[in-house]
Amino acid sequence: MNAQKRLKGRARDFFAKLQDEICAALESLDGAARFREDLWVRDGGGGGRTRVMEDGALFEKAGVNFSEVDGRFDEAFAEKMPVGEGSKFFATGISLVLHPSNPFVPTVHANFRYLERGSGSWFGGGTDLTPYYPNLDDAIHFHRTLKTACDEFDPAFYPRFKQWCDEYFFIKHRNEARGVGGVFFDYLTGEHADEPLEAGDNRTSVDRGIEFIFEFVQGVARAFLPAYAPIAERRRGEPFTERERAFQLIRRGRYVEFNLVYDRGTHFGLQTGGRTESILMSLPPLVRWVYDYHPEAGSREADALEFFRPRDWLNEELNEDE
Amino acid sequence: MNAQKRLKGRARDFFAKLQDEICAALESLDGAARFREDLWVRDGGGGGRTRVMEDGALFEKAGVNFSEVDGRFDEAFAEKMPVGEGSKFFATGISLVLHPSNPFVPTVHANFRYLERGSGSWFGGGTDLTPYYPNLDDAIHFHRTLKTACDEFDPAFYPRFKQWCDEYFFIKHRNEARGVGGVFFDYLTGEHADEPLEAGDNRTSVDRGIEFIFEFVQGVARAFLPAYAPIAERRRGEPFTERERAFQLIRRGRYVEFNLVYDRGTHFGLQTGGRTESILMSLPPLVRWVYDYHPEAGSREADALEFFRPRDWLNEELNEDE
């Protein structure tokens, strides 16, 4: 068995186990609903295990998807990829989106994946937080937890992947950030000369290798629950009004717009013949579009729209402490 | 003033006047709400007049947009176009989507447009009906009205543009038609040898010219109200339950998926820097996504999903009459 084959199996095992761990923790966090599980087989090769929970005490809809698929990319689609060669591919990973019912609890997304195209192998993924109402403490907790996980591997990782996240989860046609961001990365092979290295680091990029990247992905993936769960715990009891619920439904529309217009994972899934219901489990349960909506100046809703801009959250913390 | 310049002005005037006529008729049909109007200017050149009506007696949301824009296409975007040359463009047209509140009244879309790229000029557009519950009479009325309008110009038009519509408004990732279709066409220059001609027609394609196409587009555009309004009139009074409303919200999700994932007009608008609120006024006011929704076997909802397949509606009529 060659190294690529071994890594593929270990990545798949890690993601499958991670789905179990995360689902158990989310059921415990919700306290009422349970996940239903759907196993599915993909025509072109492979399949997955989709778990969805609806109408819980905390989560209006929570989807956690594990998949392992292989086959051939559409040629035009494959040509855009900077790693590997040809159209033969393998992909395994976990993807989750949690939509709480209370508008004071943020929506969150995470995705971690391993891909092969021909002889090329890479990891991608990340996690980002989409609050409806601004809470600086929440944004700081989320980012600090991710930064700590990243720093164990390379102090250059967090700033780079935080910025990548801000750029990726930007809704161009709205000129709006999706939320407060997090970290995002793609095509990490561990073998590229342009991979982030700490200033003065004398390891060569090749020395780091894909095993180092796999360790890093496991570290960030394990930081997801500690990054999100405490925020959900401390906000879930906050009472809310119809007005705040209405604002949540409008903001959820932006989530739909991002996922259907821009999201690479969604397009990847739909174009490679993935299971539509598993791919679109990311869409919110109930959404409202109001023509030309603008919150009243000075309202909490207007403040929210100002708050969700790409910002250096961990420096906001320092500014607050001064 | 050259011919292209004159045609551009006449097309714009026709679409602007058509917006007035359609909005007046829709206000009268609704009977309660009025359109609000927003004039907007596009950074790159041109602008538009967006009219939206919300929370009416018949229409939960109705948007009718007129625009006239010019500038330069993104090079990669322009290269995909089979007509004209270079990146300089002009576009004018009308686009409308009506979302009734009663689930027994179909949603409808229409769009008619004139475009120029370099020295090339063409018309495109169409109209398609998206019922929530099946009514063969409605589908037949809609298609018969469109066929009559098309037949005045060429008996080959309706079958060709009906099929084009079935193909265009197909939601690939769902393997579902958006509704019962209608007609759709694009890149009609009147000068292409592959343009539809009646069997035995001895006009050359060049003889028909773009003036003939402009007449045809006016004919189909004027058929929109007689095709849709009688259906809305006869269904608006039907009482409905929460169950039927819930089904409507789920089906509206498919409308969102089509518009954001596939619709050329939406992508054209977002990519050419159009006004986002005017482009996305097509999105339904309230939408629900339920994971892996399947209506109960034998229910009206299950029948509906069977009904909305590309079908030869006018032959269904014959079959019924037999």
Side-chain angles (χ1 to χ4, degrees):
Chain A
M1 213 198 284
N2 66 28
Q4 198 188 42
K5 225 166 182 174
R6 279 195 302 274
L7 179 58
K8 170 198 288 198
R10 286 163 51 225
R12 178 197 53 216
D13 293 349
F14 170 72
F15 293 129
K17 191 153 165 290
L18 183 67
Q19 186 194 32
D20 289 340
E21 288 168 14
I22 286 177
C23 288
L26 294 179
E27 282 185 349
S28 157
L29 189 63
D30 188 82
R34 315 286 291 179
F35 280 99
R36 62 174 270 201
E37 177 176 288
D38 286 314
L39 300 175
W40 51 274
V41 171
R42 184 171 155 280
D43 277 350
R49 193 169 68 187
T50 296
R51 292 189 184 144
V52 174
M53 177 157 76
E54 285 175 298
D55 301 318
L58 169 60
F59 298 114
E60 195 172 334
K61 186 176 176 188
V64 185
N65 197 35
F66 162 78
S67 65
E68 174 189 7
V69 302
D70 65 277
R72 289 193 176 272
F73 286 131
D74 176 87
E75 297 277 349
F77 188 75
E79 272 171 24
K80 290 183 207 152
M81 299 187 162
V83 181
E85 70 295 318
S87 63
K88 205 161 162 279
F89 81 96
F90 169 84
T92 184
I94 181 173
S95 173
L96 68 88
V97 177
L98 313 180
H99 290 289
S101 45
N102 186 318
F104 292 116
V105 184
T107 282
V108 72
H109 153 263
N111 167 233
F112 301 100
R113 56 186 181 265
Y114 167 75
L115 276 103
E116 290 176 4
R117 175 184 169 222
S119 65
S121 302
W122 70 93
F123 286 92
T127 177
D128 74 300
L129 190 74
T130 308
Y132 298 87
Y133 286 90
N135 276 298
L136 188 56
D137 288 349
D138 293 352
I140 290 169
H141 170 79
F142 193 74
H143 277 271
R144 190 197 289 137
T145 310
L146 295 174
K147 181 176 188 301
T148 303
C150 290
D151 284 355
E152 279 193 37
F153 295 86
D154 189 327
F157 278 177
Y158 170 77
R160 184 177 178 207
F161 299 152
K162 187 266 183 206
Q163 187 187 336
W164 199 338
C165 187
D166 286 341
E167 287 162 11
Y168 182 78
F169 292 105
F170 194 78
I171 307 171
K172 288 191 251 335
H173 64 269
R174 297 286 187 180
N175 195 30
E176 286 174 6
R178 177 156 98 162
V180 300
V183 292
F184 181 84
F185 47 85
D186 206 356
Y187 299 114
L188 298 194
T189 61
E191 290 173 2
H192 278 200
D194 63 352
E195 287 237 318
L197 288 170
E198 189 180 357
D201 193 321
N202 57 8
R203 291 172 298 183
T204 70
S205 59
V206 173
D207 283 344
R208 297 158 69 113
I210 197 156
E211 286 294 337
F212 174 81
I213 300 297
F214 185 28
E215 291 292 323
F216 162 69
V217 168
Q218 293 175 67
V220 179
R222 292 221 166 87
F224 166 73
L225 281 170
Y228 180 70
I231 296 169
E233 282 289 17
R234 69 190 178 205
R235 302 293 168 205
R236 66 187 296 175
E238 288 193 28
F240 62 91
T241 65
E242 275 307 302
R243 171 195 175 131
E244 287 140 1
R245 173 69 173 168
F247 184 64
Q248 180 193 42
L249 299 194
I250 291 170
R251 295 298 301 166
R252 281 176 173 176
R254 303 297 208 263
Y255 217 80
V256 174
E257 291 175 25
F258 180 83
N259 281 13
L260 296 183
V261 176
Y262 302 110
D263 188 58
R264 263 208 295 252
T266 302
H267 290 178
F268 177 87
L270 296 178
Q271 291 193 25
T272 55
R275 178 174 176 260
T276 295
E277 284 294 342
S278 299
I279 298 160
L280 299 185
M281 58 126 208
S282 64
L283 300 180
L286 192 65
V287 183
R288 187 178 285 285
W289 274 277
V290 174
Y291 170 70
D292 207 23
Y293 168 79
H294 295 287
E296 210 181 310
S299 65
R300 284 192 70 181
E301 290 74 22
D303 289 350
L305 302 187
E306 278 307 303
F307 186 82
F308 303 128
R309 308 240 151 245
R311 288 159 65 175
D312 186 354
W313 301 104
L314 301 180
N315 269 326
E316 303 279 340
E317 181 181 24
L318 290 175
N319 294 340
E320 277 230 320
D321 289 350
E322 272 162 15
Chain B
M1 212 195 288
N2 67 28
Q4 197 187 44
K5 226 167 181 173
R6 280 195 303 274
L7 180 58
K8 172 196 288 197
R10 286 162 52 227
R12 178 197 50 217
D13 292 349
F14 170 72
F15 293 130
K17 190 153 166 290
L18 183 67
Q19 186 194 33
D20 289 339
E21 288 168 13
I22 287 178
C23 287
L26 293 179
E27 282 185 350
S28 158
L29 188 63
D30 187 83
R34 316 286 292 178
F35 280 99
R36 62 175 269 200
E37 178 175 286
D38 287 314
L39 300 176
W40 51 274
V41 172
R42 184 170 155 281
D43 278 350
R49 192 168 69 185
T50 296
R51 292 187 183 146
V52 175
M53 175 156 79
E54 285 175 299
D55 301 318
L58 169 60
F59 298 114
E60 195 171 331
K61 185 176 175 187
V64 185
N65 197 35
F66 162 78
S67 65
E68 175 190 7
V69 301
D70 64 277
R72 288 193 176 271
F73 286 131
D74 176 86
E75 297 278 348
F77 188 75
E79 272 170 25
K80 289 184 208 151
M81 300 188 161
V83 181
E85 71 296 314
S87 63
K88 206 162 161 280
F89 81 96
F90 169 84
T92 183
I94 181 173
S95 172
L96 68 88
V97 177
L98 313 180
H99 290 289
S101 45
N102 185 318
F104 292 115
V105 185
T107 282
V108 72
H109 153 263
N111 167 235
F112 301 101
R113 55 186 181 265
Y114 167 75
L115 277 103
E116 289 176 4
R117 175 183 168 223
S119 65
S121 302
W122 70 93
F123 286 93
T127 176
D128 74 301
L129 190 73
T130 307
Y132 297 88
Y133 285 89
N135 276 299
L136 188 55
D137 288 351
D138 293 352
I140 290 170
H141 169 80
F142 192 73
H143 277 271
R144 191 197 287 135
T145 309
L146 296 174
K147 181 177 187 302
T148 303
C150 291
D151 284 355
E152 278 193 38
F153 295 87
D154 188 327
F157 279 177
Y158 170 76
R160 184 177 178 208
F161 299 152
K162 187 265 182 209
Q163 188 188 336
W164 200 337
C165 188
D166 286 341
E167 287 163 10
Y168 183 78
F169 292 105
F170 194 78
I171 307 171
K172 288 190 253 334
H173 64 269
R174 297 286 188 181
N175 195 31
E176 285 173 9
R178 179 157 97 162
V180 300
V183 292
F184 181 84
F185 46 86
D186 205 357
Y187 299 114
L188 298 194
T189 61
E191 290 174 0
H192 278 199
D194 64 350
E195 286 237 319
L197 288 170
E198 190 179 356
D201 193 323
N202 58 8
R203 291 171 297 182
T204 70
S205 61
V206 172
D207 284 342
R208 297 158 67 114
I210 197 155
E211 284 294 337
F212 174 80
I213 300 296
F214 184 29
E215 291 292 324
F216 162 69
V217 168
Q218 293 175 67
V220 179
R222 292 221 166 88
F224 165 73
L225 281 171
Y228 180 70
I231 296 170
E233 282 289 15
R234 70 190 178 207
R235 302 294 167 202
R236 66 188 297 177
E238 288 194 28
F240 63 91
T241 64
E242 274 306 302
R243 174 196 173 128
E244 286 140 0
R245 173 69 173 168
F247 184 63
Q248 180 193 42
L249 299 195
I250 291 170
R251 296 298 301 166
R252 281 177 173 177
R254 303 296 208 261
Y255 216 81
V256 175
E257 291 175 25
F258 180 83
N259 281 13
L260 297 183
V261 177
Y262 302 111
D263 188 58
R264 263 207 296 249
T266 302
H267 289 178
F268 177 88
L270 296 178
Q271 291 192 24
T272 54
R275 178 175 176 259
T276 295
E277 284 294 342
S278 299
I279 298 160
L280 299 185
M281 58 127 208
S282 63
L283 300 180
L286 192 66
V287 184
R288 187 177 285 285
W289 274 277
V290 174
Y291 170 69
D292 206 23
Y293 168 79
H294 294 287
E296 211 180 309
S299 64
R300 286 191 70 182
E301 291 75 21
D303 289 350
L305 302 187
E306 279 308 302
F307 187 81
F308 303 127
R309 308 237 152 246
R311 286 159 66 174
D312 186 355
W313 301 103
L314 301 181
N315 269 327
E316 303 278 339
E317 181 182 26
L318 291 175
N319 293 339
E320 278 229 322
D321 289 349
E322 274 164 15

